[in-house]
């Protein structure tokens, strides 16, 4: 358990695309952070950032607070449409699509058993910015699937000025019963585009392409609070680093595959248990467990 908590507090920051290479350029400029350190002004700056955070803006990235739910799941709010319709979603690096329940979800005779029943449902008729796509969508997670049809609308990250126009999203008409027990409305994928001809651009990549963010990176900071629900339980920073919560030294790890956020592990160490091997792992903000070969996980569990 402790190992999980450690992971939950771990800040990860990975570069999108291949710009890691450009970072190594010898003509590299001093970053704002380094300059502030050199001038002895970093504390002053961090204080200013904390203040500006209240309005969701900072000079380096767009900041969104997320709710820590029992250190088990982390949720953020988004809106779709104009006027805005609000949804609570998992900000999930382990998938690449955005979907929310559609107003037609659960409106048939199966209403009493529908997983959509207590959720916010998107109504395209009240949105001025909605455009129809109409193609079918279906997405499977480890826990169950969601299906319906696709549409386009303006997506905004709650509490920020970051709004992505013309975002493809799924209007779910059917949800697996797993979702009935979850307090979330939908899921926002922060993974990479699927490699199919008709694949939609995931929201953050769409934001990058529309020139809405300073840098093509986002930073995840998840807090550890224990049981309970904490609305300020973590921070997602879009378009920049998180200078308040990131350490001074940032190590860049190349992705081995850009589908999930997948990278090489040299080994694992928990207390006195060490394993060294060339595994590949994914970093998944939408999962609440450490998965791996049983023989290793059992040894970790035994010392945790
Ligand atoms: C999301 O919205 C709900 C309802 O307005 C609110 O109670 C909750 O605190 C919000 N959470 C975050 C992290 O913004
Ligand atoms: C909206 O996005 C789709 C693909 O995601 C694209 O085909 C279409 O041209 C875009 N429309 C506008 C108005 O930008």
């Amino acid at each position: 358990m402790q190992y999980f908590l450690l992971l939950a507090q771990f800040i990860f920051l990975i570069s999108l695309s291949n710009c890691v290479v450009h970072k190594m350029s010898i003509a590299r400029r001093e970053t704002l952070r380094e300059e502030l350190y050199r001038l002895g002004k970093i504390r002053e700056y961090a204080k200013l950032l904390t203040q500006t955070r209240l309005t969701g803006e900072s000079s380096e990235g767009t900041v969104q607070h997320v709710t820590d739910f029992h250190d088990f799941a982390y949720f953020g709010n988004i809106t779709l449409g104009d006027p805005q319709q609000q949804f609570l979603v998992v900000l999930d690096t382990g998938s690449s699509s955005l979907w929310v329940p559609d107003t037609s979800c659960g409106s048939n005779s199966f209403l009493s058993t529908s997983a959509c029943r207590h959720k916010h449902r998107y109504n395209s008729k009240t949105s001025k910015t909605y455009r129809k796509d109409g193609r079918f969508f279906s997405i499977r997670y480890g826990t169950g699937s969601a299906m319906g049809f696709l549409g386009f609308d303006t997506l905004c990250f709650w509490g920020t000025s970051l709004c992505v126009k013309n975002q493809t999203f799924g209007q779910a008409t059917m949800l697996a019963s797993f979702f009935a027990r979850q307090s979330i409305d939908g899921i926002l994928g922060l993974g990479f585009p699927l490699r199919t001809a008709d694949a939609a651009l995931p929201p953050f990549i769409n934001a990058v392409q529309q020139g809405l963010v300073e840098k093509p990176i986002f930073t995840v900071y998840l807090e550890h609070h224990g049981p309970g629900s904490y609305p300020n339980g973590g921070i997602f920073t879009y378009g920049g680093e998180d200078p308040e919560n990131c350490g001074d030294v940032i190590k860049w790890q190349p992705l081995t595959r850009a589908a999930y956020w997948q990278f090489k592990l040299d080994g694992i160490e928990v207390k006195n248990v060490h394993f060294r091997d060339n595994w590949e792992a994914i970093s998944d903000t939408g999962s609440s467990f450490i998965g791996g070969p049983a023989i290793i996980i059992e040894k970790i569990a035994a010392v945790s």
Side-chain angles (χ1 to χ4, degrees), residues 253-286:
Q253 181 70 26
L255 297 180
T256 48
R257 210 171 142 236
Y260 291 119
W261 290 89
Q262 185 169 335
F263 52 91
K264 266 206 166 73
L265 285 184
D266 295 329
I268 295 173
E269 187 179 322
V270 184
K271 293 188 180 160
N272 58 344
V273 177
H274 310 257
F275 294 101
R276 295 211 138 253
D277 207 333
N278 283 323
W279 292 298
E280 300 227 343
I282 63 165
S283 185
D284 180 0
T285 56

Side-chain angles (χ1 to χ4, degrees), residues 12 99 101 148 247 273:
F12 70 86
W99 64 263
V273 177

Side-chain angles (χ1 to χ4, degrees), residues 64-67 75-77 86-88 120 158 230-232:
Q64 177 177 27
H65 288 277
V66 296
T67 297
F75 306 139
N77 285 311
Q86 192 183 329
F87 303 94
L88 188 65
H120 295 110
W158 183 255
Y230 301 85
N232 290 328

Side-chain angles (χ1 to χ4, degrees), residues 49-50 52-56 62-68 74-77 88 91 157-160 221 223 230-238 244-245:
L49 276 184
T50 312
T52 51
R53 277 226 164 117
L54 299 174
T55 60
T62 302
V63 168
Q64 177 177 27
H65 288 277
V66 296
T67 297
D68 168 1
Y74 295 82
F75 306 139
N77 285 311
L88 188 65
L91 300 166
F157 291 86
W158 183 255
T160 79
Y221 173 65
E223 291 177 5
Y230 301 85
N232 290 328
I235 290 168
F236 278 59
T237 307
Y238 303 102
E244 198 183 326
N245 297 298

Side-chain angles (χ1 to χ4, degrees), residues 123-197:
N123 185 349
S124 61
K125 290 204 180 72
T126 64
S127 174
K128 290 191 293 237
T129 41
Y130 175 73
R131 287 192 311 110
K132 198 177 147 114
D133 178 305
R135 278 176 296 170
F136 175 77
F137 95 94
S138 166
I139 177 164
R140 280 183 81 88
Y141 300 94
T143 45
S145 57
M147 62 184 77
F149 53 94
L150 294 175
F152 299 95
D153 212 334
T154 303
L155 158 73
C156 298
F157 291 86
W158 183 255
T160 79
S161 60
L162 181 58
C163 291
V164 187
K165 292 210 174 93
N166 192 31
Q167 174 62 48
T168 308
F169 68 106
Q171 300 171 243
T173 54
M174 279 213 336
L175 296 181
S177 57
F178 165 81
F179 291 107
R181 297 188 298 272
Q182 307 299 310
S183 53
I184 52 149
D185 300 310
I187 293 178
L188 186 149
L190 289 166
F192 294 88
L194 307 171
R195 298 191 193 284
T196 58

